[in-house]
Amino acid sequence: MKFKEDLSGINIIKKSQDTNIFDNQTLETLAGLDKTREDFWNVDNESANFLSLLIKTSGAKNALEIGTSNGYSTIWLAKALKTTGGKLTTIEFWDNRLDVAVENFKKTGVADIIEPKLGQAVMILEEMAYSNNPPVFDFVFIDANKSEYIKYFKLVDKMLKKGGIIAADNILSHYKKVEPYIKEITSRTDYQSQLIPLDTGIMVSYKL
């Protein structure tokens, strides 16, 4: 880049402090969950902050998360939805993980706007999408079984309103497994997509 500045030796500030947006109990809970990130496959702090900003700037009101784990990303999403007056549905396959997550929701004061669902994501999404009164989402975060991303998308697409956003994690870390999803959504004329190279890679797609 012709006008790229030499920033060698400079510690670049990438995000605001979490203390600006969270109370002490939430900070303590998130810090504890962050220590177990590798065991529970959570997003990193910067990615979580980015997702929070996406919700706030888009004004999302009805969000869906596929892959709760211990609730780290869920808390970030729910706290952002608190500012928009929104709510969150989150799906998790493992009951022991969801039990931990629900306790963390209570600790951080977001349990009242979260509807946790236990079971296989594809089956739950099918039930939702083909119900008599399917929900309409304006924000979806995908972070579950990588080989099933394409299946999630085909079901989520039925429930995502125009102007809605899909954010899918692990695009760089599990590219081969999520490639069918990437090819599908980037070839669709009704979606505008961009890969954000944060940590494991997040693909953000806007429904036109």
Side-chain angles (χ1 to χ4, degrees):
M1 184 181 296
K2 186 176 181 180
F3 300 108
K4 187 174 182 180
E5 188 173 352
D6 181 9
L7 299 175
S8 57
I10 297 176
N11 183 22
I12 301 172
I13 298 172
K14 296 182 179 180
K15 62 186 287 290
S16 60
Q17 297 296 316
D18 295 347
T19 51
N20 293 354
I21 54 176
F22 295 136
D23 57 88
N24 289 334
Q25 179 62 60
T26 299
L27 289 169
E28 183 179 328
T29 302
L30 289 174
L33 295 177
D34 200 35
K35 293 177 182 178
T36 63
R37 183 189 170 207
E38 292 186 3
D39 296 323
F40 289 90
W41 310 329
N42 291 322
V43 298
D44 73 324
N45 180 267
E46 291 180 6
S47 296
N49 185 59
F50 174 70
L51 294 172
S52 172
L53 287 170
L54 275 181
I55 286 178
K56 291 176 179 177
T57 54
S58 67
K61 293 291 181 70
N62 194 19
L64 170 67
E65 177 185 48
I66 306 172
T68 315
S69 189
N70 59 8
Y72 181 82
S73 58
T74 323
I75 293 168
W76 275 89
L77 298 177
K79 285 289 185 178
L81 288 162
K82 282 269 189 179
T83 69
T84 66
K87 59 182 180 178
L88 174 66
T89 301
T90 185
I91 303 171
E92 174 56 43
F93 177 75
W94 301 102
D95 56 352
N96 57 336
R97 291 192 174 192
L98 191 59
D99 288 342
V100 172
V102 169
E103 288 305 309
N104 289 324
F105 302 158
K106 294 175 182 177
K107 289 179 185 177
T108 54
V110 292
D112 60 318
I113 66 164
I114 297 176
E115 180 183 359
K117 290 182 177 290
L118 176 65
Q120 293 183 348
V122 171
M123 292 182 64
I124 292 173
L125 291 172
E126 285 177 342
E127 290 175 1
M128 295 166 67
Y130 294 108
S131 66
N132 292 329
N133 187 29
V136 178
F137 296 106
D138 51 15
F139 185 90
V140 178
F141 177 49
I142 302 176
D143 188 18
N145 188 323
K146 313 311 169 191
S147 60
E148 293 187 342
Y149 273 30
I150 185 63
K151 295 180 180 179
Y152 302 154
F153 171 66
K154 289 181 178 180
L155 292 165
V156 163
D157 178 54
K158 299 177 183 296
M159 300 180 281
L160 186 70
K161 74 174 189 179
K162 287 186 177 180
I165 293 171
I166 299 176
D169 194 30
N170 298 114
I171 300 302
L172 295 176
S173 61
H174 295 73
Y175 184 84
K176 290 183 179 180
K177 287 187 177 181
V178 302
E179 190 174 10
Y181 166 76
I182 299 168
K183 286 184 175 180
E184 174 72 16
I185 201 164
T186 55
S187 65
R188 290 276 294 262
T189 58
D190 56 341
Y191 280 90
Q192 179 182 354
S193 300
Q194 176 65 52
L195 173 63
I196 309 299
L198 282 169
D199 195 45
T200 56
I202 298 176
M203 177 73 80
V204 177
S205 302
Y206 176 85
K207 191 169 186 178
L208 301 169

